[in-house]
Amino acid sequence: MLGVIAGADSRAIQETAAGLDLDKVARVADAIATAGRVELFGLGSSGTAAREMAFRLERIRIPVWYREDAHKALTNAALLGPGDVAIALSHGGRTREVIEMLAEAASQGALTVAVTSFERSPLGETADITLTTAVHETTFRVAALSALHSQLVALDLIYVAVAQRTYERTTEAFEVTARAVEAHRLRDQPAARRRRDK
């Protein structure tokens, strides 16, 4: 069982990495690094990936939002404009609400990005830039659930590219945020004391 799951995820990640267009990733990273506002859209398991990306970008001072409520996401898409970025995630690219969110962002002049397993899906056709992911299903993990790891690979690549483009700001943000939570971390015990405590 473990081997089947690990093998399926490994193959999906490798195929996603091999298939990603690095020029497209660079375009997205360039836009995010200078964006006035970034909105992430996704529902279900795709929402989990969107939420994680929002956390990462927020940590390096990118003005980013993720809304779980579809109506809030739509109203925020309507507030985007030129110079802003909208990223929508959907494995099948056929989630009606997510397509509507991206279409609304596009109508306002934002750069629109789709992360999906199907480039020719309605979501992919709505976006300015489409990044395609790969998926390997297993018995109890249908494609939509299995897509999470591949989506995170694509988003992680974008995140690192943005961090490289904003190196000084990112480094300063890491230092500030690390200090803010330092008091909440337990200190490591010296090895000798750990042995005595056992």
Side-chain angles (χ1 to χ4, degrees), residues 105-118:
S107 73
Q108 301 302 324
L111 176 72
T112 55
V113 181
V115 179
T116 178
S117 299
F118 300 93

Side-chain angles (χ1 to χ4, degrees), residues 11-153:
R11 287 193 301 277
I13 288 170
Q14 290 168 355
E15 289 175 18
T16 297
L20 284 172
D21 185 325
L22 297 183
D23 289 336
K24 289 182 178 180
V25 171
R27 284 178 60 198
V28 174
D30 287 340
I32 292 174
T34 59
R37 184 184 184 98
V38 177
E39 289 279 349
L40 285 147
F41 307 127
L43 300 175
S45 58
S46 292
T48 300
R51 189 183 310 110
E52 174 64 20
M53 182 62 162
F55 170 74
R56 294 182 187 189
L57 292 175
E58 189 176 47
R59 178 88 187 264
I60 60 172
R61 297 186 187 275
I62 298 295
V64 59
W65 287 267
Y66 166 69
R67 311 268 199 280
E68 294 185 13
D69 181 86
H71 288 184
K72 288 181 180 178
L74 270 170
T75 56
N76 280 281
L79 295 174
L80 295 175
D84 296 330
V85 179
I87 303 175
L89 293 91
S90 170
H91 158 64
R94 296 183 174 277
T95 304
R96 184 185 304 277
E97 297 92 334
V98 177
I99 296 166
E100 290 175 356
M101 294 166 194
L102 201 66
E104 181 62 40
S107 73
Q108 301 302 324
L111 176 72
T112 55
V113 181
V115 179
T116 178
S117 299
F118 300 93
E119 186 170 8
R120 297 185 184 278
S121 64
L123 183 66
E125 292 174 354
T126 301
D128 297 313
I129 299 172
T130 301
L131 300 175
T132 308
T133 55
V135 173
H136 285 271
E137 292 183 273
T138 57
T139 304
F140 298 109
R141 296 168 72 220
V142 295
L145 296 175
S146 301
L148 178 61
H149 294 94
S150 298
Q151 290 173 341
L152 289 173
V153 168

